Amino acid sequence: MSESERKRRSSKSRQVKAPTIADVAALAGVSIMTVSRVINSEPKVRQSTRETVMAAIARLNYAPNRAARSLAGASQLRLGLLYSNPSEAFLSAFVVGSLEEAGRSDVQIVIQKVEDGEDVCLAVERMVAGGVHGVILPPPLNEANDVLAVLREANVPTVAVTTAVPHAGIATIMIDDRSAAREMTAHLIGLGHRRIGFILGHPALSASGARLEGYRAALAEAGIPFDEALVAQGYFTYRSGLDAAERLLSFEDRPSAIFASNDDMAAAAVAIAHRRGLDVPRDLTVCGFDDVALATTIWPELTTIQQPIVEMSRRAVELLVTMLRNKREDEIGDQRIALEYKLVRRQSDAAPRLSSR
Amino acid sequence: MSESERKRRSSKSRQVKAPTIADVAALAGVSIMTVSRVINSEPKVRQSTRETVMAAIARLNYAPNRAARSLAGASQLRLGLLYSNPSEAFLSAFVVGSLEEAGRSDVQIVIQKVEDGEDVCLAVERMVAGGVHGVILPPPLNEANDVLAVLREANVPTVAVTTAVPHAGIATIMIDDRSAAREMTAHLIGLGHRRIGFILGHPALSASGARLEGYRAALAEAGIPFDEALVAQGYFTYRSGLDAAERLLSFEDRPSAIFASNDDMAAAAVAIAHRRGLDVPRDLTVCGFDDVALATTIWPELTTIQQPIVEMSRRAVELLVTMLRNKREDEIGDQRIALEYKLVRRQSDAAPRLSSR
DNA sequence: TCGGCGAATGTTAGCGGTATCGATAAGCCG
DNA sequence: CGGCTTATCGATACCGCTAACATTCGCCGA
């Protein structure tokens, strides 16, 4: 790691030039075209070759030159990212993921917010008129039927993120919400909890329903009867979590654990618990869903389901780009990509102090 | 404006391609090089020729292709963005800004995280070896002296963001922390508060010192004596805010307001207040600094100083690009750019209930 | 055994600019 | 009026990558 590199450097004063596709090709012992194919994940490359090239890429720390790429390639793609007012924490992770992938695949991302009062469909139409080639929809727009309708009519390939029950013709990136909620609930039951409160998510989103299903499934498996009183409506906002937690904790026989449908609401539950003099997790276990930054900001840090948000939006862009570049827009609607979630255990859960069995 | 254009269009279905430098050259009856010279306002072009070309450019509504330009010109710029473990909310805003600007100015951003145990200097060296042309440093690395030293030695232009007291030879993007803290403190005083607690930021960062100075200045201006007991050490984390707020609120004669050096710690102060049965803002005013997402997530939403994080990182990239493209690396170190902050008032402040004058 | 055929890989021609250097015309001197 | 410098301008070689076409190779059926 010195002779050759040093030579290269000294050749032209100190200018270290970035490695090019040719360098990679030389190192891997293939032609530049093959490297190009690997980079763009085109299908016609033997697995072994692909790996060799990948290794060379990693070794040189090579990144394709965007300028050259867009100059040589077809006209640059533009993707629209339309959002309304989700959890800010969620959104920023989401934006980071799509922007990263956008950089990698050299597409433009047009980010547009739909203001609260505004007509959603108008915003979509504006975007379509602006000539975007595809659209990405984070929650809650991922299931706004009017938006989807406009998009479908305009024949704009669309990918919705975090939709638990996919719509026909709309590609979807998701995790298995039901199974994740089931796992978390089972975890709580395993800890010894029997009265487990549940804070619902926004009723318009299918993920909310899926999470509730998972909660019920785990209860059923453990032979614990479902108690409607332990389920409180929430809307994915901190504020709504405050109200829901207040309700759940005001019962005579309050739950020993609360499972909120997202972290914002879980954080709210922690706040309410503290306000009532309850220690988390000693007196009350609280866990969330999503694992946004907030989960590790507050104290105690939340036990939660880690949803790979950055990865999900990255994949959304990637999917759109692949389809658009390969001119297979027709196929796009049928894609269903489910990513892995993970239960991450932190400090907000514990065994119940007073068993209420 | 019709015959030739129409022909061009109809030749290939409906594809309207953007005019190229060659089109301009043909229309103006000169060579493409001359057009290039006019575009770049190089001196060696006769005035009359220049005008002819300009006219052609205007007529075709020509704009140079950025990709082609940067491809042909100097090698593409690569900027490194090195971070360790700041507030996640801060980081994502930061990344968004730099990525956005990167797309606009057609440079690559190499993002790298320095893991906790890892040797920071090693990470810097790796990045430099990777051939980045400039480096951007968000907090807390913006004032890590060892990092700065390595960078300076390697002669890599660097811009630090949020440094209140600039280092020689390192460009800086900042806001006037002192003045912002002064304004916020004055605001609290204006509300009627006299005993105002202050939670310090991390002692290694100059912004912390500047904010304290601002606090003291406002106190002095109002003729309120500075009370050391009202200042608690924090480290910009939620956790440290918890301890600091606990200290401040345990006094007999507790402050009627707490001004925390960032939002994370302010949120912690709110949590502690609630745990002690104090209503915010009725019993205690709390305000923060930065205006990250957390500030509007919690309840009550925080009154805080809005620091334009996205804009700051955007400017950092822009500054680096300008300097690097103009080959004036020597000048880079002397830049000091201060952006505007804004005091945004939300629900966490109010006049004190029991005057403690 | 051999043509044929599909999969994997290589070759070549640009994409739209800029850098370099050569060409041309004009200006200047003795 | 010839030679030489100067101010303008033009021809051409890339920049790093991809599209389109060419090539190679292994394997199959006749």
Side-chain angles (χ1 to χ4, degrees):
Chain A
M1 59 133 133
S2 40
E3 270 310 284
S4 56
E5 269 182 32
R6 184 149 306 148
K7 208 176 297 168
R8 220 172 130 228
R9 253 175 242 202
S10 58
S11 74
K12 191 68 174 185
S13 75
R14 144 123 32 128
Q15 276 296 25
V16 193
K17 302 236 306 172
T20 76
I21 197 172
D23 298 327
V24 178
L27 190 91
V30 298
S31 79
I32 57 170
M33 240 354 263
T34 303
V35 178
S36 172
R37 291 196 178 98
V38 171
I39 295 169
N40 298 305
S41 53
E42 284 175 32
K44 301 306 179 62
V45 180
R46 197 184 309 155
Q47 188 55 29
S48 62
T49 313
R50 186 184 302 275
E51 275 158 19
T52 313
V53 174
M54 294 287 238
I57 290 177
R59 199 135 126 27
L60 292 179
N61 206 337
Y62 165 80
N65 180 317
R66 289 207 269 146
R69 191 183 252 189
S70 78
L71 179 55
S75 63
Q76 194 180 30
L77 288 180
R78 251 163 319 138
L79 305 183
L81 168 42
L82 202 64
Y83 71 98
S84 55
N85 52 349
S87 144
E88 285 219 34
F90 186 95
L91 183 68
S92 59
F94 198 90
V95 170
V96 167
S98 43
L99 245 28
E100 257 182 23
E101 181 62 27
R104 222 190 308 279
S105 8
D106 195 36
V107 295
Q108 265 181 50
I109 300 275
V110 183
I111 300 179
Q112 195 169 108
K113 170 163 189 176
V114 183
E115 293 302 339
D116 258 357
E118 201 178 357
D119 179 2
V120 196
C121 298
L122 227 61
V124 177
E125 273 159 14
R126 194 173 347 124
M127 190 161 245
V128 172
V132 299
H133 303 89
V135 169
I136 302 167
L137 260 20
L141 259 27
N142 62 326
E143 304 196 62
N145 286 314
D146 39 359
V147 173
L148 296 180
V150 176
L151 250 16
R152 187 158 17 204
E153 195 188 334
N155 203 20
V156 177
T158 303
V159 26
V161 181
T162 76
T163 306
V165 184
H167 292 231
I170 304 285
T172 305
I173 311 275
M174 53 177 160
I175 64 170
D176 187 339
D177 286 284
R178 185 177 181 285
S179 155
R182 204 172 114 267
E183 188 172 329
M184 177 61 89
T185 310
H187 167 67
L188 296 177
I189 294 171
L191 246 29
H193 294 279
R194 287 299 173 271
R195 289 186 59 75
I196 302 174
F198 187 78
I199 304 183
L200 287 162
H202 197 290
L205 301 182
S206 59
S208 302
R211 292 175 195 177
L212 175 62
E213 270 181 37
Y215 163 78
R216 297 192 63 157
L219 249 35
E221 278 163 23
I224 301 176
F226 173 74
D227 180 355
E228 185 118 21
L230 287 177
V231 175
Q233 185 66 56
Y235 298 90
F236 281 139
T237 65
Y238 187 88
R239 192 69 202 279
S240 70
L242 248 26
D243 298 339
E246 187 69 62
R247 258 252 315 286
L248 292 175
L249 293 181
S250 63
F251 296 144
E252 187 92 359
D253 186 14
R254 62 171 172 75
S256 64
I258 291 183
F259 177 17
S261 289
N262 78 348
D263 290 338
D264 287 43
M265 299 192 297
V270 170
I272 291 291
H274 284 161
R275 216 178 288 193
R276 293 176 151 258
L278 299 174
D279 182 80
V280 176
R282 207 192 52 204
D283 307 317
L284 179 72
T285 283
V286 174
C287 46
F289 204 110
D290 282 355
D291 197 22
V292 293
L294 180 64
T296 50
T297 297
I298 65 167
W299 190 257
E301 296 185 356
L302 292 175
T303 289
T304 187
I305 295 289
Q306 179 187 316
Q307 188 167 207
I309 302 175
V310 172
E311 175 69 8
M312 292 172 93
S313 66
R314 231 187 43 59
R315 291 291 289 273
V317 172
E318 189 182 85
L319 176 61
L320 232 28
V321 169
T322 308
M323 292 298 157
L324 254 13
R325 290 242 163 95
N326 297 354
K327 275 115 187 161
R328 309 168 74 172
E329 307 184 11
D330 43 322
E331 283 187 12
I332 217 168
D334 297 326
Q335 294 276 346
R336 298 285 113 93
I337 298 181
L339 300 182
E340 292 303 310
Y341 60 87
K342 205 168 70 189
L343 192 165
V344 309
R345 207 176 160 191
R346 288 198 269 255
Q347 288 87 38
S348 68
D349 65 331
R353 198 155 56 123
L354 315 156
S355 120
S356 48
R357 290 161 225 198
Chain B
M1 60 141 124
S2 42
E3 270 309 285
S4 56
E5 267 183 33
R6 183 148 310 152
K7 209 177 293 168
R8 221 176 125 228
R9 257 175 237 204
S10 56
S11 74
K12 191 68 175 183
S13 75
R14 139 132 32 137
Q15 274 297 26
V16 193
K17 302 238 306 174
T20 77
I21 196 173
D23 298 327
V24 178
L27 190 94
V30 298
S31 81
I32 59 171
M33 248 344 274
T34 303
V35 177
S36 174
R37 290 196 178 97
V38 170
I39 295 167
N40 297 304
S41 52
E42 282 174 34
K44 302 306 180 57
V45 179
R46 196 183 308 154
Q47 187 55 30
S48 61
T49 314
R50 185 183 303 277
E51 275 159 19
T52 314
V53 174
M54 294 285 241
I57 289 178
R59 196 127 132 20
L60 291 180
N61 205 340
Y62 165 79
N65 179 318
R66 278 231 307 276
R69 190 182 251 186
S70 79
L71 177 56
S75 61
Q76 191 184 30
L77 289 181
R78 256 162 316 136
L79 305 183
L81 168 43
L82 202 63
Y83 70 97
S84 55
N85 53 349
S87 143
E88 285 217 35
F90 186 95
L91 184 69
S92 57
F94 198 91
V95 170
V96 168
S98 43
L99 248 27
E100 259 181 18
E101 180 62 27
R104 222 191 308 279
S105 15
D106 199 31
V107 296
Q108 269 180 46
I109 299 274
V110 183
I111 300 179
Q112 196 170 105
K113 170 164 189 176
V114 183
E115 294 301 338
D116 258 358
E118 201 179 356
D119 179 2
V120 196
C121 298
L122 228 62
V124 178
E125 272 157 15
R126 192 171 351 121
M127 190 161 245
V128 172
V132 300
H133 303 87
V135 170
I136 302 167
L137 259 20
L141 258 29
N142 62 325
E143 303 197 63
N145 286 313
D146 40 359
V147 173
L148 296 180
V150 176
L151 250 16
R152 188 156 20 200
E153 195 188 334
N155 204 18
V156 177
T158 303
V159 27
V161 181
T162 76
T163 306
V165 183
H167 292 231
I170 305 285
T172 304
I173 311 276
M174 52 179 161
I175 62 168
D176 187 340
D177 286 284
R178 184 177 181 285
S179 154
R182 204 172 114 267
E183 186 170 330
M184 177 62 89
T185 310
H187 167 67
L188 296 177
I189 294 172
L191 246 30
H193 294 278
R194 288 300 173 270
R195 288 185 60 74
I196 303 174
F198 186 78
I199 304 183
L200 286 162
H202 197 291
L205 302 181
S206 59
S208 303
R211 291 174 196 178
L212 175 62
E213 270 182 37
Y215 164 77
R216 296 191 62 157
L219 249 36
E221 279 163 23
I224 301 175
F226 173 72
D227 180 354
E228 185 116 21
L230 288 176
V231 176
Q233 185 67 57
Y235 298 89
F236 281 141
T237 66
Y238 187 87
R239 193 66 202 279
S240 70
L242 248 25
D243 298 339
E246 186 69 60
R247 260 253 313 288
L248 292 175
L249 294 181
S250 63
F251 297 143
E252 188 92 0
D253 186 15
R254 63 171 173 74
S256 64
I258 291 184
F259 176 18
S261 289
N262 79 348
D263 289 339
D264 287 42
M265 299 193 296
V270 170
I272 291 290
H274 285 161
R275 216 178 290 191
R276 294 178 150 256
L278 299 175
D279 182 80
V280 175
R282 207 193 50 204
D283 307 316
L284 179 73
T285 282
V286 174
C287 47
F289 204 109
D290 281 356
D291 197 22
V292 293
L294 180 63
T296 50
T297 297
I298 66 167
W299 190 258
E301 296 185 356
L302 293 175
T303 289
T304 189
I305 295 289
Q306 178 185 317
Q307 189 166 207
I309 303 175
V310 173
E311 175 70 8
M312 291 173 94
S313 67
R314 230 186 45 60
R315 290 293 288 273
V317 172
E318 190 182 82
L319 175 61
L320 233 27
V321 169
T322 309
M323 292 298 159
L324 253 14
R325 289 247 161 92
N326 298 353
K327 274 117 187 161
R328 308 166 77 171
E329 307 185 11
D330 43 321
E331 284 187 10
I332 217 169
D334 298 326
Q335 294 276 345
R336 300 285 115 92
I337 298 180
L339 300 182
E340 294 302 311
Y341 59 87
K342 205 168 70 187
L343 192 166
V344 311
R345 202 169 168 199
R346 291 200 266 255
Q347 288 87 39
S348 68
D349 65 330
R353 199 155 56 125
L354 316 156
S355 120
S356 49
R357 290 160 226 200

